[in-house]
Amino acid sequence: MTRDPSADSRIGAEDIRRRKGGVPIVCLTAYTYPVARLLDPHVDLLLVGDSVAMVLHGHATTLGASLEMMIAHGQAVMRGSAKACIVVDMPAGSYEDSPAQAAKSAGRIFEETGCQAVKLEGGVSMVAQIAAIVAEGIPVMGHIGLQPQSVEKDGGYKIKGRTEENIAALFRDAEAVEEAGAFSVVIEGTMEAVAAKLTRHISIPSIGIGASADCDGQILVIDDMVGMTVDRVPKFVKEYADLRSVVADAAARYAAEVRSRAFPGPDHVFTMASGKDET
């Protein structure tokens, strides 16, 4: 895919890096063209998250995401966005085996979508992978704390930073991600005070989700934020709309009008009097 000719007008990874300690960075996930168009004017960064496997494809975890899935949704979001920094998640299985695998997968995402950066999960254990991707000229966002791709290994979605041992590990992960060359790091599902200390400890921006208001930015899954999630909504989510009710009500009214033959009405059909074949 040809790189976006308007890339110079976009917010880039370095722009995000420079926001450390400044006005909080506004981030949301996006997976589709129309949603990207709606969100783009309001955000600094759009993440094409592997949460798409759950939100749009009905998988139980993010482990259902594939490289091809992430590339397809990344392309759609790029088409719908003109301003935001677009970051695409690297799905489980596309980078963990070796630095060479990570660089190859990241290269595919970067070239085939035209995105500004990729994101991967892991701290100390992923240093070589992050460094290899950065060496190819591809910006990397890290992800520490609760890592959804490790949910099966961890035995569920468990909040991090509850023990001194775990807190020390989180600090090692944050330092490792920064030293490997990441331009920012997501801190997910981590005790508030720990996330705040991590943010002050590193020199790259932290993006919080279920973390702390002291993080350098915040991100939510768009479907959670607008009240479209049909299963359990995480504790850390604030719903800014109730689209579940809006969509259900619209479907109910449509169904009633179809069954009563009230729809389609005169304004929604074509007749000789219409004059033009306009849809």
Side-chain angles (χ1 to χ4, degrees):
M1 179 176 179
T2 304
R3 300 289 295 169
D4 181 2
S6 65
D8 290 344
S9 65
R10 279 189 182 274
I11 297 170
E14 283 304 310
D15 297 314
I16 298 296
R17 185 196 294 268
R18 288 193 290 269
R19 294 278 293 273
K20 176 70 179 180
V23 175
I25 303 160
V26 179
C27 313
L28 283 168
T29 66
Y31 318 110
T32 64
Y33 169 82
V35 169
R37 285 196 62 177
L38 290 170
L39 300 183
D40 192 62
H42 307 288
V43 303
D44 302 304
L45 186 150
L46 288 174
L47 172 67
V48 185
D50 57 1
S51 48
V52 68
M54 303 171 71
V55 172
L56 294 189
H57 294 272
H59 290 277
T61 70
T62 63
L63 299 178
S66 67
L67 196 58
E68 288 70 26
M69 184 187 295
M70 300 312 303
I71 289 170
H73 287 285
Q75 290 170 341
V77 169
M78 282 296 296
R79 294 186 195 107
S81 167
K83 174 184 76 73
C85 179
I86 307 300
V87 180
V88 179
D89 256 336
M90 298 187 70
S94 71
Y95 62 93
E96 301 95 317
D97 287 351
S98 68
Q101 181 202 32
K104 182 178 179 180
S105 297
R108 274 199 64 191
I109 293 172
F110 196 63
E111 291 302 322
E112 294 183 36
T113 68
C115 67
Q116 281 65 62
V118 299
K119 180 173 79 65
L120 59 76
E121 296 182 10
V124 172
S125 64
M126 289 296 126
V127 164
Q129 280 84 341
I130 294 172
I133 297 169
V134 171
E136 294 296 320
I138 302 171
V140 176
M141 173 181 276
H143 185 143
I144 65 171
L146 191 158
Q147 297 168 38
Q149 292 178 7
S150 300
V151 64
E152 292 182 354
K153 181 179 66 177
D154 289 350
Y157 295 95
K158 296 183 178 180
I159 302 303
K160 306 299 181 181
R162 294 187 183 276
T163 67
E164 290 302 318
E165 180 182 5
N166 184 239
I167 292 170
L170 285 168
F171 273 81
R172 290 193 296 271
D173 282 340
E175 292 167 352
V177 165
E178 178 179 0
E179 291 171 7
F183 72 92
S184 62
V185 61
V186 169
I187 302 175
E188 180 170 358
T190 297
M191 296 295 288
E192 193 279 334
V194 177
K197 289 179 181 178
L198 284 168
T199 296
R200 293 190 292 270
H201 183 69
I202 57 177
S203 63
I204 57 175
S206 66
I207 307 299
I209 178 168
S212 170
D214 286 341
C215 289
D216 297 297
Q218 300 294 329
I219 189 166
L220 285 175
V221 170
I222 182 59
D223 294 68
D224 291 344
M225 192 271 281
V226 298
M228 272 292 287
T229 302
V230 295
D231 297 315
R232 187 185 69 85
V233 178
K235 170 185 169 61
F236 55 75
V237 170
K238 179 176 180 179
E239 293 186 334
Y240 287 80
D242 179 15
L243 295 194
R244 283 187 300 273
S245 297
V246 172
V247 172
D249 178 65
R253 289 189 291 114
Y254 168 72
E257 290 193 5
V258 169
R259 289 173 182 136
S260 68
R261 299 191 185 278
F263 178 84
D267 292 339
H268 308 107
V269 296
F270 300 98
T271 66
M272 292 300 293
S274 300
K276 295 181 180 180
D277 290 333
E278 295 180 350
T279 58

